[in-house]
Amino acid sequence: MQIEFEITNMRPASDMLETGSEVVALFDVEIFPFRIRDGQIRKRPAGELWVTLPGRKTSCIWISEGELIEAIRTEARAFYMERFDGQR
């Protein structure tokens, strides 16, 4: 089964976390008929970009399909690199 999604509302952010990572962008994911809000692009201290999605504690709905999660992470990272990376 193919599930279509779209990364929307990507916006820059700047928030340092206790782990040393920095939240560099926030985004939403449209998976019709749902919208998952406030995914994060984080930059780890070593410079690696990591994508996090809100879980059931913060959004009341979560994605349990591993392949879909990885597809969303890949797409969000690419979207961020295309729009924002190098502008900071």
Side-chain angles (χ1 to χ4, degrees):
M1 180 168 109
Q2 178 81 13
I3 298 175
E4 294 186 21
F5 64 89
E6 181 180 3
I7 304 297
T8 63
N9 196 24
M10 174 111 24
R11 58 227 179 258
S14 182
D15 186 24
M16 290 301 294
L17 304 174
E18 291 180 13
T19 61
S21 295
E22 179 184 10
V23 178
V24 294
L26 301 172
F27 65 93
D28 299 341
V29 181
E30 298 274 346
I31 307 172
F32 185 79
F34 302 103
R35 173 183 290 171
I36 297 175
R37 299 186 58 196
D38 295 332
Q40 297 180 350
I41 307 284
R42 297 179 181 181
K43 188 172 279 189
R44 292 183 170 166
E48 174 190 10
L49 292 178
W50 179 250
V51 179
T52 64
L53 297 172
R56 63 182 171 199
K57 290 182 180 179
T58 56
S59 68
C60 299
I61 188 169
W62 70 98
I63 301 168
S64 60
E65 172 56 45
E67 288 181 21
L68 179 57
I69 291 169
E70 284 308 310
I72 291 170
R73 286 179 172 160
T74 299
E75 183 70 21
R77 190 178 302 111
F79 194 104
Y80 171 81
M81 298 280 291
E82 181 181 305
R83 296 273 172 104
F84 298 114
D85 200 34
Q87 296 182 18
R88 300 177 56 93

